Amino acid sequence: MLKLSRTRARGASGAALALGLACVLSSCAASPGGTGAAPQEEAAPGYLAVADDALDGQGTLTVQLDYDTSEADGLDPATAQTARSWSIMGLVYETLVTTDENFEIHPELATSWEQPNDTTYVFTIDTKATFSNGRAVTANDVVGSLQRQVDSMSVWSGQMGPVESIQATGDDEVTVKLTSPYAPFLSALANTPAAILPMQEVNDGSVDLATTMLGTGPYLVDAHRQDESWSFTANPKWRGGDDLAVQTLELQIVDQESTRQAALREGSAGLANFGSIDALTQLADASNAAVVNQTQSDFYYVNVNSQVPGSPLEDQDVRFAINTAIDRQAIADIVFAGETAPTGVTPSNLPGACAVDDLPSEKATIDDAKKIIEESGAGDTALDMVVYTSEPVMGQIAQLVQQQLAEIGVTVNIEQFDTATYNARVFTAQPGDFDLSLGWFAGYVDPSMVTKWWNPEQAGFNVGFTGVHEDLNTLIAEGASVTDPDDRAAVLTDLCASADKYSEIVPLVHRPSIIGYDSAAVSPTIQSNEGYGDILRNITDYRLPGNASK
């Protein structure tokens, strides 16, 4: 009998059916051992690839990406909501601090900072930093940028925490005061929406951030054709610009995965990203192609709609039974060939995250779940599960979950829609027009940041399918405010367990990020873990061979 989870063994026939389903859905590319691929070897602790410093070429790198930035406010980084926007805009803009391969915070535009107490941060600004128009960064730029973010009512403004005041306290010093301790504050400053902007030019109207990117970062925008391409050149005024190997960066937007694979094989692209784990095997025979699976903190989830009157899903016990029947490890092993891992509410690759094995649903049994469904009569009502078609793996996850729920007597009908229809049914309709739905969250770099989405009073987007639970909301607030690591880990464990019991948003597995590169064209630095979806992080460390042109 094949064991598909840590705590729940499936019957042999169910396991065989699941594995057969996997071969139909994808390429059945699991490793010979059956339930998972061998761990990747790191080039160095925390890195899947490390640039070869012996290479001294400078030139052009062509990168193919699956989709472009697309934001309601154009190119304004403060309101950017997607990881692709953060990554592309991050080529031009910089933040006060950044994060490393261990999710630790390091200086960027702030050369240092002090924390005289739990609610005060004093930043020293790098006086050598200039915007690409040559003007030096000032403390007023920092104050204006952060205040603009806090006041923006954007998604990211909610991650900034309880900011009380932001003041220039010296020519190169900015002091931020909070109304209460907030553990993720520095992590929130480390992402592109908290970029330092040219506030003098913004305020005098000479720069429109929606259409123009003017930053302190390593690159300048030469050209952009929406959903087609970007062209960047090295910023000569960047304080580290003399050593940049990638002097010209060409980003091509290519939505077809097979086309990106072909470009990598034939050498017309030096680096590309892939959404399917099949790229790991399909490019294995390419002579110069190296392919790595970067662990993202992003993760897939199932929404279980508790807000439809008369639905069996109003019953918390029924929702928990469904949660219990969903086998996260089987999803990782079968849909993703073992190339990902289960997670709870706090992304499992982040320091301090809760242990998936400790979740109540992982300790419950399938027999318990069956009994609840039988006694409640919930099995008499077929449930619809909605997914969107733009990410094919969603349909694959849905079919496996459909099979898993059938084991406890729950019938699921899968409905697939374009993204606009999906969003209307899941996020716009009040209550949501669905029973179950699949999606994914960005996981960020602090384990408490994504937990806000379990509080509909903070999140807003989920009021149509989740209830307000004061005990859970208290734990969410404590997870962000408690700063002692041991105390915080205990709170986050309780938070994960509480969200797991309510079973309205059920985390599944991490969302893989496959990066391929032509080893004859580029020697990149790629972290093993990433929290903000920035597949071009460390591009300033890339190395190229002589006469590089790819």
Side-chain angles (χ1 to χ4, degrees), residues 407-422:
E407 292 186 45
I408 63 168
V410 173
T411 300
V412 173
N413 298 319
I414 299 171
E415 301 180 33
Q416 301 190 56
F417 299 102
D418 61 84
T419 302
T421 304
Y422 172 92

Side-chain angles (χ1 to χ4, degrees), residues 239-253:
R239 53 204 182 284
D242 292 343
D243 296 327
L244 280 178
V246 181
Q247 288 288 304
T248 302
L249 177 64
E250 300 290 345
L251 299 185
Q252 299 174 351
I253 309 303

